[in-house]
Amino acid sequence: MSDREQLERALELAERGRRTTHPNPVVGAVVVQDGAVVGEGWHERAGGPHAEVVALAAAGERARGATLYVTLEPCAHHGRTPPCADAVVAAGIARVVVGAGDPDPRTDGAGIARLQEAGIEVVAAEPDLAARARRQNEAFRVWAAAGRPFVTYKAAVTLDGRVAASSGDARWISGPESRRRVHELRGASDAVAVGMGTVRAENPLLSARDVDAPRQPRRLAFGSGPLPDGSELELVEGPLPEALARLAEEGVQSLLLEGGPTLAGAFLRARLIDKLLLFLAPKLVGGDDAPPLFAGRGAPTLAQAVSLHGVEVGRAGADVVLTAYVHEP
């Protein structure tokens, strides 16, 4: 199998730790000797052995002179476990193919440098695989490097760029498949947020319902209080950058933003939206009965338009699902 195929296998293995490694990233590793896989591993839980150590243990003496494929740069610092870079060197690995660098300031290139100092050949992944490896840990990367949560803005939009009103049956623009997808996203996020306008109009629950969610997200309202009587949301006040920094200190790595156009516009102008997830419904408004996707003063001109990257298109029932990055992780 090629380097590409082995690294793809490591990416698959990493996903096995998706729900159990938080706050650590998901990581997968494969050890190959003379074209044969002799060890595999993934990071299973925070505080447990890292993927490289598991794969090297499975390979044993067959790791000497072998190639290690790992989705994230081996760590070079002492945490709850010893540095993985030292374990790779001690195992006698001759070559390492790395999916993505480690954004943790304690490593950030130091792991690769440690391997190279020991005479190990280090090969970077092909650009598309490197992008996949970074996106696999997009929330962790922003949290570790920027000190704030990774922000995904989700919205249901008509084909002429309008979002729902705040109340009434007309607020359901997207279909049931899209709405189920939103509940899955909530279950996979550390926190979900709206603005106070949405809170006052709807008093939403923001919980993950009728899906397999191992935990409920923190449910937040950005803006000035007070919250309505009976609201179960947490009020988050103050400038957005400072508020996000506080959330990051509290362990919130991923934030799903579900607010209306005013809150979305404020996040966009502050350059705090990392990813867009738009559910495009096969509907037209053709008037001013529904607001545009983003609102607020200081909207950019066409010449200042925000460029999107990594655009992907899918389906959820009758809706088209568009995913794109404002900031690549």
Side-chain angles (χ1 to χ4, degrees), residues 10 27-28 33 46 57 70 76 92 95 107-108 168 175 185 200 229 246 295 298 305:
V27 184
Q33 176 70 268
V70 62
R95 181 172 176 265
T107 296
D108 192 19
L185 287 166
R200 295 185 181 107
D229 291 341
R246 291 196 303 270

Side-chain angles (χ1 to χ4, degrees), residues 203-273:
N203 196 17
L205 293 174
L206 299 185
S207 55
R209 300 185 296 276
D210 301 320
V211 294
D212 180 18
R215 60 189 173 94
Q216 288 291 332
R218 287 179 61 178
R219 295 168 290 160
L220 313 175
F222 282 92
S224 299
L227 290 166
D229 291 341
S231 174
E232 298 180 358
L233 307 187
E234 300 177 46
L235 183 62
V236 180
E237 298 181 287
L240 290 179
E242 296 175 13
L244 292 186
R246 291 196 303 270
L247 290 172
E249 291 174 357
E250 295 165 2
V252 175
Q253 293 186 5
S254 56
L255 172 64
L256 179 63
L257 191 65
E258 294 191 24
T262 300
L263 183 65
F267 267 79
L268 184 66
R269 289 189 297 277
R271 300 181 62 82
L272 292 173
I273 293 178

